[in-house]
Amino acid sequence: MRILVLGADGYLGWPTALHFSARQHTVALVDSFLRRDLHKQRGTGSLTPIATMPERISAWREVTGTELPFYELDITDYAAISAVIAEFRPDAIIDYAEIPSAPYSMIDREHSIVTQRNNVEGTLNLLWAMREFAPDAHLVKLGTMGEYGTPNIDIEEGWIDITHNGRTDRMPFPKQPGSFYHLSKVHDSDNIAFTTRIWGLRATDLNQGVVHGIETPETALHDTLVNRFDYDEIFGTALNRFCVQALTGNRITVYGSGNQRRGFLNIRDTLQCVELAVTNPAARGEFRVFNQFTEVFSIRELADTVARCMRSMGRDCEIAHLDNPRVESEDHYYNPSNKGLLDLGLKPVYLSDDLLASALSVVSRFAGSSDARAMEPATTWR
Amino acid sequence: MRILVLGADGYLGWPTALHFSARQHTVALVDSFLRRDLHKQRGTGSLTPIATMPERISAWREVTGTELPFYELDITDYAAISAVIAEFRPDAIIDYAEIPSAPYSMIDREHSIVTQRNNVEGTLNLLWAMREFAPDAHLVKLGTMGEYGTPNIDIEEGWIDITHNGRTDRMPFPKQPGSFYHLSKVHDSDNIAFTTRIWGLRATDLNQGVVHGIETPETALHDTLVNRFDYDEIFGTALNRFCVQALTGNRITVYGSGNQRRGFLNIRDTLQCVELAVTNPAARGEFRVFNQFTEVFSIRELADTVARCMRSMGRDCEIAHLDNPRVESEDHYYNPSNKGLLDLGLKPVYLSDDLLASALSVVSRFAGSSDARAMEPATTWR
């Protein structure tokens, strides 16, 4: 298949591009390097020493003999992205090309607007370009489990059958997102659903949990293919932060009680899920939603797991509870469904102590160059 | 109370400002004249000869002795709107300051983006300005019944109790808006709800039906206070178009079968509703939603009513069904609740043949200057 990966320089975009390329698909890459720029502005960066895109592409050519065409452009530029879609004629467009940070969107007014404008207008451009140049292509859009919030009922996959006053309809599952970033993803989902209805586009919304892991079989083939690893308060995940804190002898910082429960999955499962979505496309006019995670943990359980692994490696590790900078429920029901991708054949890689120990050993090669200040929670929701 | 009206030059903003001013509230006006500019660009305009804002304000001063401070600014300009909020210290902010047209948003990519950017970023600015300068003020935001679409269950007011797999929660009512414009209102509602939750702002979302009528007791006090009346395919409503078509001897053009059912209310009821919302404010942290309409009609019923009124005035009137340029259900269940405002004391003015006949007589004074081409459906959803 012909697969266009948007955000192909990113933590998931890069391994996704390699994954499909290794499986003999024709892959093209798009990125604007916005993430690298934002890191530069903030004085932060990936813990792992990621190569430039030209270096990455020539390493992949060296290892596999395969060329990866790359387009440096921002999908908020319609002329640029529509020209690529018209030229490349993708069967599937995998869209990771968004600002993916809740704290970034909460810094101040400007950041809330930049996040929503960038994400929503990029997606709108994509939809109009598909209508014009690739109406039969399949949009595989990365959403987030954070779109749902933490309702007191089971979370279904995008749609829910509601019976009310004796009548029944299949309705969009109500969303209660927890940041301006998460809101931008809800706006996206609503805009996409509309265009499947009026233009008959095909789309899959992957509401993804928090991804852990660094390496994939393809990024491990060459040092220059190394994947990015964000651990700062803006772009890093809690688990990444915990790993770096533990390995540098700092306290693991949990926001609030840590009883907040979330969906998680390994990066290799992200690749499986996206491949399952791409190779089993949505129908024309279908807005298909999968919840893309494999297990649920509380943040406290994650912290405990990291501490346990450290102790088994003979190192002490302290857990500290900070005042929660976010506004979120800390004790809540959480039972999301993830049936759709399992039914398509997903075979999860669960977060075992062994898996975490191996992740810790990768991180430990670079932990010495980490910046403790970058992990302090400077952004508050209030 | 101190009341700031945003979009105060508009069809609802202007009568709203006069309504509160006549009731001894302290009212300030904000508008950017975007609607007048968009009309100018398109070569269309209000059927009624509306005065300039300085003329309107001096007519009101002449009639009542009351001064209406006016700020010409666009709420997408944060420095400008936040300065006004800081200076005026409103108890309530009534927000009509949006691009209000479904067809406008569907013209092409640029118009979809302009609509969403203008509406969503204006509202975001407002929320941040309230957080900074008026955290206790009450936001009264005009939404639309079109946010809900036409689900096969009763439409509640913003929230619905859902019981699912034996558990129950009060959830946002699922929305299925029918244009990029209606989507912008859903994005607004989601952004506002979030800020009531995290910042404790107070907000009322008024999901309004289609408004009919021109005059209010205050606009009738002086010719220069005359309200705008849009009848073109972009900014006009179906009923306005039907009136102008009938009075100019043209066919009434119904999109499709005309079985589409919608909520409607008279402009005087809009003023009642907004006053009820303002004088009974939402609590801190509350996202309150009212469905603001008084009766439900099908488009075909409206066309029939206009034709009947014309015939009783001794004039013939033909109804034509055009191919529907929109993508919408033409045969659907529609039973929205409007309990909240009735419970607060709303006394509706229903659309009787008498009321329509009197509206027709107002319109007939200006119908001679109408432009038949402006009423042709040039914008298609597909």
Side-chain angles (χ1 to χ4, degrees):
Chain A
M1 295 174 79
R2 303 180 63 80
I3 297 169
L4 187 62
V5 180
L6 310 178
D9 188 49
Y11 167 62
L12 299 175
W14 177 239
T16 297
L18 301 189
H19 179 88
F20 282 99
S21 179
R23 282 155 187 78
Q24 316 313 323
H25 296 286
T26 304
V27 179
L29 283 58
V30 166
D31 209 291
S32 69
F33 303 124
L34 180 60
R35 174 78 72 94
R36 294 188 193 229
D37 291 344
L38 296 178
H39 266 308
K40 224 171 275 168
Q41 286 169 25
R42 302 188 55 79
T44 52
S46 170
L47 184 70
T48 48
I50 53 174
T52 64
M53 183 53 85
E55 290 165 348
R56 286 178 150 189
I57 288 171
S58 57
W60 187 245
R61 186 191 307 117
E62 196 181 305
V63 169
T64 66
T66 307
E67 198 58 51
L68 290 173
F70 171 68
Y71 303 89
E72 181 177 346
L73 65 89
D74 195 309
I75 66 166
T76 58
D77 176 348
Y78 183 73
I81 183 60
S82 63
V84 168
I85 288 173
E87 182 189 315
F88 183 67
R89 292 172 291 109
D91 299 303
I93 300 173
I94 304 171
D95 181 18
Y96 296 106
E98 301 217 329
I99 297 178
S101 167
Y104 183 85
S105 75
M106 300 302 298
I107 291 174
D108 58 17
R109 186 189 67 86
E110 285 85 348
H111 288 79
S112 74
I113 287 187
V114 164
T115 301
Q116 294 206 354
R117 182 187 294 184
N118 180 77
N119 293 0
V120 172
E121 296 185 9
T123 301
L124 281 174
N125 275 347
L126 214 52
L127 296 167
W128 283 97
M130 288 176 67
R131 171 178 179 272
E132 197 164 352
F133 299 111
D136 200 46
H138 176 209
L139 175 62
V140 177
K141 167 71 166 56
L142 270 287
T144 155
M145 287 299 293
E147 293 185 34
Y148 296 114
T150 54
N152 194 40
I153 61 172
D154 295 345
I155 296 173
E156 301 303 331
E157 301 193 85
W159 299 89
I160 180 173
D161 290 319
I162 298 181
T163 299
H164 180 55
N165 299 346
R167 301 180 63 90
T168 297
D169 200 0
R170 180 172 178 257
M171 309 274 284
F173 195 95
K175 307 265 183 89
Q176 294 175 92
S179 73
F180 288 114
Y181 154 68
H182 290 102
L183 280 154
S184 78
K185 293 282 196 178
V186 173
H187 305 342
D188 277 341
S189 297
D190 290 344
N191 283 340
I192 296 168
F194 173 64
T195 59
T196 60
R197 219 156 66 228
I198 61 160
W199 296 334
L201 298 184
R202 38 173 116 234
T204 300
D205 206 13
L206 296 174
N207 287 330
Q208 190 170 242
V210 184
V211 184
H212 52 76
I214 310 172
E215 277 186 356
T216 69
E218 290 78 23
T219 67
L221 290 173
H222 192 298
D223 276 351
T224 307
L225 299 175
V226 65
N227 197 9
R228 71 176 311 121
F229 182 88
D230 292 318
Y231 66 99
D232 61 293
E233 70 125 359
I234 295 293
F235 294 110
T237 63
L239 181 57
N240 287 7
R241 182 175 77 240
F242 296 167
C243 289
V244 174
Q245 289 171 323
L247 288 164
T248 52
N250 289 296
R251 302 177 313 168
I252 289 176
T253 54
V254 170
Y255 295 169
S257 66
N259 291 334
Q260 307 92 312
R261 292 161 64 75
R262 296 290 183 268
F264 292 85
L265 75 167
N266 188 265
I267 188 168
R268 283 174 279 167
D269 289 345
T270 293
L271 303 186
Q272 267 195 79
C273 290
V274 171
E275 185 177 1
L276 288 168
V278 165
T279 54
N280 299 277
R284 287 298 296 260
E286 185 185 6
F287 179 67
R288 182 175 64 168
V289 184
F290 293 131
N291 293 343
Q292 182 165 309
F293 69 94
T294 60
E295 45 195 338
V296 169
F297 298 110
S298 72
I299 301 301
R300 187 195 199 107
E301 287 172 314
L302 285 187
D304 288 342
T305 305
V306 172
R308 190 172 59 241
C309 282
M310 290 299 291
R311 278 186 217 107
S312 76
M313 290 153 64
R315 295 181 55 178
D316 200 26
C317 185
E318 197 187 329
I319 296 173
H321 292 266
L322 307 186
D323 287 343
N324 194 339
R326 305 187 175 203
V327 177
E328 60 186 4
S329 299
E330 294 193 7
D331 290 284
H332 59 89
Y333 182 74
Y334 198 61
N335 187 32
S337 166
N338 63 344
K339 193 171 173 303
L341 287 159
L342 292 171
D343 284 353
L344 282 182
L346 172 66
K347 303 269 176 282
V349 177
Y350 294 111
L351 182 63
S352 62
D353 282 19
D354 279 357
L355 189 79
L356 186 64
S358 111
L360 280 166
S361 97
V362 175
V363 177
S364 70
R365 288 161 48 200
F366 309 104
S369 66
S370 66
D371 176 1
R373 279 167 316 176
M375 293 182 281
E376 287 164 16
T379 309
T380 160
W381 264 226
R382 288 182 181 86
Chain B
M1 296 173 79
R2 302 181 64 79
I3 297 169
L4 187 63
V5 180
L6 311 178
D9 187 48
Y11 166 62
L12 298 175
W14 177 238
T16 297
L18 301 189
H19 179 89
F20 281 99
S21 179
R23 282 154 187 77
Q24 316 311 324
H25 296 286
T26 304
V27 179
L29 283 58
V30 166
D31 210 290
S32 69
F33 302 122
L34 180 60
R35 174 78 71 94
R36 294 188 192 231
D37 291 344
L38 296 178
H39 266 308
K40 224 170 276 168
Q41 286 170 26
R42 302 187 55 78
T44 52
S46 170
L47 184 70
T48 48
I50 53 174
T52 65
M53 183 54 86
E55 291 166 348
R56 287 179 147 187
I57 287 171
S58 56
W60 186 246
R61 188 192 306 118
E62 195 183 303
V63 168
T64 65
T66 307
E67 198 58 51
L68 289 174
F70 171 68
Y71 303 89
E72 181 177 347
L73 65 87
D74 196 308
I75 67 167
T76 58
D77 175 349
Y78 183 74
I81 182 60
S82 64
V84 168
I85 288 173
E87 183 190 314
F88 183 68
R89 293 172 293 107
D91 299 304
I93 301 172
I94 304 172
D95 182 18
Y96 296 105
E98 302 215 329
I99 296 177
S101 167
Y104 183 85
S105 75
M106 301 302 298
I107 292 174
D108 57 17
R109 185 190 69 85
E110 286 85 349
H111 289 79
S112 75
I113 287 189
V114 164
T115 301
Q116 294 207 352
R117 182 189 292 183
N118 180 77
N119 294 358
V120 172
E121 296 186 10
T123 302
L124 282 173
N125 275 347
L126 214 52
L127 296 167
W128 283 98
M130 288 176 67
R131 170 179 180 271
E132 197 165 350
F133 298 111
D136 200 44
H138 175 210
L139 175 63
V140 178
K141 167 71 165 59
L142 270 287
T144 155
M145 287 299 294
E147 293 184 34
Y148 296 115
T150 54
N152 195 38
I153 61 172
D154 294 345
I155 296 173
E156 301 302 330
E157 301 194 85
W159 299 88
I160 180 172
D161 290 319
I162 298 180
T163 299
H164 179 56
N165 299 346
R167 302 180 63 90
T168 298
D169 200 1
R170 181 171 178 259
M171 309 275 283
F173 195 94
K175 307 263 183 89
Q176 295 174 93
S179 74
F180 288 116
Y181 154 70
H182 290 102
L183 281 154
S184 78
K185 293 281 196 178
V186 172
H187 305 343
D188 276 342
S189 297
D190 290 345
N191 283 340
I192 296 168
F194 173 64
T195 60
T196 60
R197 219 157 67 227
I198 61 161
W199 296 336
L201 298 184
R202 38 174 116 231
T204 300
D205 206 11
L206 296 175
N207 287 331
Q208 190 170 240
V210 184
V211 185
H212 52 77
I214 310 172
E215 278 188 355
T216 69
E218 291 77 25
T219 66
L221 290 174
H222 192 296
D223 275 353
T224 308
L225 299 175
V226 66
N227 197 11
R228 72 175 310 121
F229 182 87
D230 292 317
Y231 66 98
D232 60 294
E233 71 126 358
I234 295 294
F235 293 111
T237 62
L239 182 56
N240 288 6
R241 182 176 77 239
F242 295 169
C243 289
V244 173
Q245 289 172 323
L247 288 164
T248 52
N250 288 297
R251 302 179 314 170
I252 289 176
T253 55
V254 170
Y255 296 169
S257 67
N259 292 333
Q260 307 92 314
R261 292 161 63 76
R262 297 291 183 268
F264 291 86
L265 75 167
N266 187 265
I267 188 168
R268 284 175 277 166
D269 289 346
T270 294
L271 304 186
Q272 268 196 76
C273 290
V274 171
E275 184 177 0
L276 288 168
V278 166
T279 54
N280 299 277
R284 288 297 296 259
E286 185 185 5
F287 179 67
R288 183 175 63 168
V289 184
F290 293 130
N291 293 343
Q292 180 165 311
F293 69 93
T294 60
E295 45 195 338
V296 169
F297 298 109
S298 74
I299 302 301
R300 188 196 198 107
E301 287 172 315
L302 286 186
D304 288 341
T305 305
V306 172
R308 191 171 58 240
C309 282
M310 291 299 291
R311 278 185 217 109
S312 75
M313 291 155 63
R315 295 182 54 177
D316 199 28
C317 185
E318 197 188 328
I319 297 173
H321 292 265
L322 306 187
D323 286 345
N324 194 339
R326 307 188 173 202
V327 177
E328 60 188 4
S329 298
E330 294 192 7
D331 289 283
H332 59 88
Y333 182 74
Y334 198 60
N335 186 32
S337 167
N338 63 345
K339 192 171 174 302
L341 287 160
L342 292 172
D343 285 352
L344 283 181
L346 171 65
K347 304 270 176 282
V349 177
Y350 293 112
L351 182 63
S352 60
D353 282 17
D354 280 357
L355 189 79
L356 187 64
S358 108
L360 281 167
S361 95
V362 175
V363 177
S364 69
R365 289 161 49 199
F366 309 103
S369 67
S370 66
D371 175 1
R373 279 165 317 174
M375 294 183 280
E376 287 164 15
T379 309
T380 161
W381 265 227
R382 289 183 181 86

